[in-house]
Amino acid sequence: MSDEPTFDPRRKAAIRELVVSNAEAHPGRANGRKRTALVAGLVVLALSISGGTVAYAFGTGLIDLPPGTAPTATTTPPPTATPTPTPTPTPTATPTPIPTHTEPAEDPADPSTWIIGFDGVGPFRLGQTFGSQAHEAPGFVDRTDAICTDSYLWLRSTASSIGLVGATDGSQRTAAIEVGSSGWPDRATSPATAEGIGVGSTYEELQAAYPGIQQTGSYADISYYFGLTDGKGGWIVFNVVRNSSDERLNDKVAAIQIANEAVMPVENGSVRTMPSERCPA
């Protein structure tokens, strides 16, 4: 036995008639879905009076919805996930390689490649004996006068002159090195300092390489001495010629001496200047 409410045919017809009549009585009030909603509302009202249910009304044909007016479920689309932005990698800067400074190699046979420093010139060094350095430079020959061999070793090539000066103690240790030329001073064939000053350089070039270089002495208004010191007793002295009868020599470096105050060279009153003459003069 069913518990659902039942309608006898007369009651069912009466309810349908009520709904239809009411809808036809208000044709401009609604149409389409609004009309359907109106009809359904009237049915619900009628059912509530008679004790029926909406589901029962649809099942028994009490409510006949027009085609295409059946209620449809509204589906809410799921939220679209916002993609997480991919971080842009920061480019790593490529370090610029620092160029390395390489000093040109010194060639014992080529005096123009020799560097003049506070401790020596090319292959020759302060403190070494004459004998240990006599054959250090190919192309140079011994031109030492016999009366000077105890204190000097003079070596000459076709373009350059190197004088090793002994210490005052007679030990034949090299206390000074003197760079000169075998002819007219020629910078192209001379050893030079790291700043490029050699025998044959001009006085202007000397001043440009060593601004404020001090004058350390002079001789007879012809030789003017300008000295550099390392602050440890070492000196490099440049002999600049002036007032010479030969204009080719004026205002040029004619000779360079390297020495240290710790060991005094023979015939030197000071390592800050150079003797005007040496043995055998």
Side-chain angles (χ1 to χ4, degrees):
M1 181 176 177
S2 174
D3 294 330
E4 295 183 353
T6 59
F7 293 97
D8 60 71
R10 288 179 303 170
R11 193 174 184 182
K12 178 177 180 181
I15 294 174
R16 181 185 294 274
E17 182 66 25
L18 172 64
V19 172
V20 173
S21 298
N22 191 290
E24 289 178 350
H26 303 85
R29 183 176 298 177
N31 54 47
R33 292 186 179 181
K34 291 183 178 180
R35 181 181 178 86
T36 301
L38 175 60
V39 172
L42 293 173
V43 171
V44 171
L45 177 61
L47 289 175
S48 63
I49 297 172
S50 61
T53 64
V54 176
Y56 177 78
F58 280 110
T60 58
L62 181 60
I63 298 177
D64 293 322
L65 294 177
T69 61
T72 57
T74 301
T75 302
T76 302
T80 303
T82 302
T84 302
T86 302
T88 302
T90 302
T92 302
T94 302
T96 302
I98 300 174
T100 56
H101 177 70
T102 304
E103 293 289 347
E106 293 182 327
D107 182 357
D110 183 2
S112 67
T113 66
W114 298 353
I115 302 299
I116 298 174
F118 288 100
D119 61 344
V121 179
F124 301 101
R125 288 292 174 268
L126 296 177
Q128 301 297 313
T129 63
F130 294 166
S132 65
Q133 303 191 86
H135 305 288
E136 288 296 322
F140 281 75
V141 294
D142 186 349
R143 296 298 186 190
T144 310
D145 192 283
I147 65 172
C148 303
T149 54
D150 288 344
S151 302
Y152 291 93
L153 176 64
W154 292 107
L155 301 174
R156 283 184 171 85
S157 68
T158 55
S160 298
S161 170
I162 296 293
L164 304 185
V165 183
T168 55
D169 61 6
S171 62
Q172 290 196 332
R173 289 183 302 150
T174 303
I177 301 173
E178 188 172 311
V179 181
S181 63
S182 296
W184 298 109
D186 184 2
R187 170 62 189 87
T189 61
S190 171
T193 65
E195 289 72 26
I197 302 301
V199 172
S201 294
T202 65
Y203 174 70
E204 289 75 14
E205 291 170 338
L206 178 66
Q207 288 290 331
Y210 306 108
I213 186 173
Q214 60 177 308
Q215 180 179 336
T216 55
S218 64
Y219 172 76
D221 293 331
I222 295 178
S223 294
Y224 291 82
Y225 307 115
F226 297 86
L228 299 174
T229 181
D230 61 359
K232 302 175 182 178
W235 284 85
I236 300 175
V237 177
F238 304 89
N239 178 7
V240 177
V241 175
R242 291 175 177 168
N243 304 314
S244 172
S245 57
D246 192 330
E247 289 295 329
R248 293 176 296 178
L249 296 176
N250 284 332
D251 291 319
K252 288 186 178 179
V253 176
I256 302 173
Q257 173 188 277
I258 299 93
N260 193 291
E261 294 173 346
V263 181
M264 187 62 62
V266 296
E267 298 190 288
N268 274 71
S270 168
V271 296
R272 302 184 184 196
T273 62
M274 302 170 61
S276 59
E277 295 179 328
R278 291 190 183 275
C279 183

